[in-house]
Amino acid sequence: MIRILPASLFIVALLLFLPARLPAQEASIPAERIYDVGQLKPLDSTLKVTVGDPAPDFSLPTISGEKITLAQFRGSKNVVLSFIPAAWTPVCSGQWPGYNIVQDMFEQTDTLLIGVSADNVPTLNAWVQEMGGVWFPVASDFYPHGQLAEALGILRSSGETERALFLIDKEGIIRYIDVHDINSRPDLGPLVKAMQELQ
Amino acid sequence: MRITLISIAFFLFVLCTNAPAMQASDNAASHPLPVGSLMPDLLLRGELSPEHISHLGLKGSAPRRLSEIKADTVILVAFSMYCPHCQREAPALNELHALIESRGLADNVKLIGVGIGNSDFEVQVFRDKYATTFPLFSDPDFTVNKEIGEVGTPFFYVLAMNPEKKEIRVVKTLLGRMESAETFFDQAMKAGE
């Protein structure tokens, strides 16, 4: 009896906890892995470009192992650059999963979304995988540190980027800019409207 | 004895390593209103279809108060278009709505969603993407969420409506996804008795 009881206990435990374990694989990032940065200075940089300017070209490594450039989409795709300040932080971890359900809106407007941060590739990869993956390429502006962000004027004094959205048309011209309060998520509505207006 | 110890050790290992993950996007500042407390008479904003305005028994278009909803029980779901758990829960929410109707309780029990931090556009994305059948409100500046305790998402409040006393009381709460729509609904109805 003494031997049967523990055996029963762990069988019960397995039955109880294994089903709960399965959905966890598709869960978003557990709260304890998110680093709370607190309230930050809303903006900490000076924008160097404006709507109508040509976007600076870039060549950035992505988490899939390939490099991505702006030039490769010239004449074929509009490009949205979604800069997030840092992996593993609260607002950022809640922004890109939302873009996961609007892939069709990007495709319908012939627009490619590229996620960018100044984190290095392994960090970005771990974070994105933990979120369950995203459909769009994720690029690292880590080295030379924040070079693209600096060219756009959105590199903060702390080395992170602003939370910002840039829409660049097929000719490489910036058509929409939203450098957002770093503490909050930009509304998707105005970006999609700007994408639709390029049609 | 040795087998007993090994079994206990294994049991503890299972407990430690397989703790169920909360199926919610929680936040550290969360302080939900406890069961038994009063829910503020929330100002509900957003675009509703004429059918949903009529379903909730509202007089007209936005804005409107929670107390204006004609029901004995309101199930309020705080969700976000950006929350992966809410995205996965969307079909179960429609199931919950269908369950209310199939049990003939559509006049007494009303299911509503509030898109925490979501603009009207973002709520519409959620509505379209998941063919949501019940009314959804927006909360672009987190006003509602501040009033309901800065909850993570999804978060369920089951509310007993008492228009005579002009009070709305919390009778059940749940952070995270429902075990199943039916189980949750049965628990919600029991809590409201």
Side-chain angles (χ1 to χ4, degrees), chain B residues 125-144:
Chain B
V125 167
F126 193 87
R127 191 182 280 131
D128 290 345
K129 191 81 191 174
Y130 301 108
T132 307
T133 52
F134 56 95
L136 300 179
F137 296 91
S138 58
D139 183 30
D141 49 10
F142 296 88
T143 306
V144 168

Side-chain angles (χ1 to χ4, degrees), chain A residues 21 26 28 94 185 187-188, chain B residues 18 82 85 88 117 119 122:
Chain A
R21 180 75 173 162
E26 61 170 29
S28 65
R185 194 179 50 223
D187 179 4
L188 184 63
Chain B
N18 286 294
Y82 290 88
H85 302 290
R88 293 185 200 107
S119 65
E122 291 164 333

Side-chain angles (χ1 to χ4, degrees), chain A residues 2-3 6 9-10 13 17-18 20-21 23-24 26-28 94-95 97-98 101-102 105 185-189 192, chain B residues 3-4 7 10-11 14-15 17-18 20-21 23 25 81-82 84-85 87-88 116-119 121-122 125 129-130 177:
Chain A
I2 289 169
R3 290 185 181 184
L9 276 176
F10 81 73
F17 288 95
L18 279 181
R21 180 75 173 162
E26 61 170 29
S28 65
Q95 185 174 342
I101 64 168
V102 290
M105 290 186 180
R185 194 179 50 223
D187 179 4
L188 184 63
V192 171
Chain B
I3 293 172
T4 308
S7 303
F10 184 71
F11 175 66
V14 167
L15 265 182
T17 56
N18 286 294
Q23 298 287 289
S25 298
M81 178 206 115
Y82 290 88
H85 302 290
Q87 295 166 1
R88 293 185 200 107
I116 303 302
N118 291 177
S119 65
F121 181 89
E122 291 164 333
V125 167
K129 191 81 191 174
Y130 301 108
R177 297 177 60 187

Side-chain angles (χ1 to χ4, degrees), chain B residues 3-164:
Chain B
I3 293 172
T4 308
L5 285 173
I6 290 170
S7 303
I8 290 171
F10 184 71
F11 175 66
L12 289 173
F13 173 77
V14 167
L15 265 182
C16 294
T17 56
N18 286 294
M22 178 65 72
Q23 298 287 289
S25 298
D26 201 5
N27 76 70
S30 177
H31 51 94
L33 307 177
V35 169
S37 65
L38 292 178
M39 168 64 78
D41 193 8
L42 306 170
L43 185 67
L44 299 170
R45 294 165 295 170
E47 295 161 5
L48 293 188
S49 66
E51 292 75 25
H52 283 161
I53 291 174
S54 159
H55 167 67
L56 295 178
L58 298 170
K59 289 189 185 77
S61 56
R64 67 291 273 184
R65 294 274 171 191
L66 177 60
S67 61
E68 293 173 38
I69 296 175
K70 285 199 173 59
D72 299 326
T73 303
V74 168
I75 301 176
L76 185 156
V77 188
F79 75 97
S80 168
M81 178 206 115
Y82 290 88
C83 152
H85 302 290
C86 305
Q87 295 166 1
R88 293 185 200 107
E89 188 72 337
L93 294 175
N94 279 345
E95 211 179 297
L96 178 61
H97 186 227
L99 199 60
I100 294 169
E101 304 225 326
S102 69
R103 292 202 186 172
L105 294 169
D107 289 340
N108 311 90
V109 182
K110 306 285 166 76
L111 174 64
I112 63 168
V114 179
I116 303 302
N118 291 177
S119 65
D120 286 349
F121 181 89
E122 291 164 333
V123 166
Q124 188 63 40
V125 167
F126 193 87
R127 191 182 280 131
D128 290 345
K129 191 81 191 174
Y130 301 108
T132 307
T133 52
F134 56 95
L136 300 179
F137 296 91
S138 58
D139 183 30
D141 49 10
F142 296 88
T143 306
V144 168
N145 203 32
K146 285 190 184 84
E147 292 205 76
I148 65 175
E150 299 176 274
V151 296
T153 51
F155 193 97
F156 296 77
Y157 275 111
V158 180
L159 305 168
M161 311 291 281
N162 191 335
E164 284 167 20

